[in-house]
Amino acid sequence: MQLNSARQAWHDCLHTPWDSQGVFIEQLGLLGTMVQTTEKQRKASHAVHQALAGGIQAAISQLAGSIKAFGHFMYAPRLDVDTQEDAQEAVFTMVQQRSPRMTAAKREKLEYVVKGVMARYRYMHQGGQSANDDPLPTPEGFRAWLDAHYGVRLESSNWDRDWAGFVTLIFECCEDLDKQALSPVAAAIYEMRSAA
């Protein structure tokens, strides 16, 4: 495990190497049962990985539930539906707190706009260095994506008035939650590097 960035460290500390899973699956297929062997990872590199991963996992465990869910949504190697929904709820709640009052119909659509912007944000920041471009930079592309994925139609006639501000706000909320999630991980990385 390399401590290059907080994003990469979050992913790597939760990653299980495929070789150990491959052996497990192979044993299940061949024997119909699992056979414990003593040849499990006994290399020094594995022990170092486990020690570093433990430090990062300890930093993650200190986070509030909604912030931790957002971090797992963004960087965990496996994402379950419950964690994804918790992360979406955290962003949706933050957006509502920072937004003016709105009708129930608009709030219902806003929930899907949040999901769409979060998918965009996740794509842009995957890989650890935030190097990906926005996959849906135009309102037309984003509206078409929402319609295709969720069956939600947003009117184009008043996009700037009705939705552009919300899209910007959702990105800002994602950035705020991202910083809150990654700060303790970055601090743990700094501490580990200083101790080395």
Side-chain angles (χ1 to χ4, degrees):
M1 180 172 161
Q2 295 184 8
L3 301 175
N4 295 332
S5 73
R7 291 180 170 112
Q8 182 181 358
W10 190 302
H11 174 274
D12 291 353
C13 80
L14 301 171
H15 178 70
T16 304
W18 273 103
D19 60 348
S20 62
Q21 290 178 357
V23 169
F24 173 76
I25 292 169
E26 182 181 34
Q27 287 176 355
L28 280 176
L30 293 175
L31 305 173
T33 186
M34 186 179 109
V35 176
Q36 183 176 356
T37 64
T38 57
E39 299 179 65
K40 298 291 181 192
Q41 296 271 348
R42 291 194 289 167
K43 300 176 188 165
S45 62
H46 183 68
V48 169
H49 171 81
Q50 286 181 314
L52 294 174
I56 302 300
Q57 289 172 356
I60 292 170
S61 72
Q62 301 299 316
L63 295 169
S66 59
I67 297 169
K68 188 187 313 181
F70 185 84
H72 285 321
F73 168 78
M74 290 295 297
Y75 307 114
R78 282 174 223 80
L79 179 64
D80 61 70
V81 174
D82 291 336
T83 302
Q84 182 173 350
E85 288 175 355
D86 290 346
Q88 290 167 342
E89 182 65 30
V91 174
F92 184 62
T93 300
M94 185 179 276
V95 169
Q96 286 185 66
Q97 290 170 349
R98 296 181 181 183
S99 298
R101 294 179 61 137
M102 66 188 88
T103 64
K106 187 161 192 167
R107 187 177 300 109
E108 187 176 317
K109 287 185 178 183
L110 179 63
E111 186 175 347
Y112 293 100
V113 174
V114 166
K115 291 176 183 183
V117 171
M118 285 179 71
R120 291 165 61 183
Y121 187 84
R122 184 172 190 238
Y123 175 82
M124 292 164 61
H125 296 281
Q126 287 287 299
Q129 298 303 321
S130 301
N132 295 330
D133 291 329
D134 186 347
L136 301 167
T138 64
E140 296 80 20
F142 184 55
R143 285 193 335 269
W145 187 89
L146 283 175
D147 190 22
H149 282 79
Y150 297 113
V152 173
R153 291 200 147 146
L154 301 178
E155 294 299 321
S156 63
S157 58
N158 294 316
W159 177 261
D160 287 339
R161 183 191 74 200
D162 292 340
W163 296 107
F166 281 109
V167 170
T168 302
L169 177 61
I170 296 163
F171 272 116
E172 290 170 1
C173 290
C174 287
E175 288 172 8
D176 289 348
L177 285 169
D178 206 5
K179 287 175 188 172
Q180 291 175 42
L182 294 176
S183 290
V185 174
I189 290 172
Y190 178 79
E191 190 176 310
M192 285 185 225
R193 283 184 179 164
S194 331

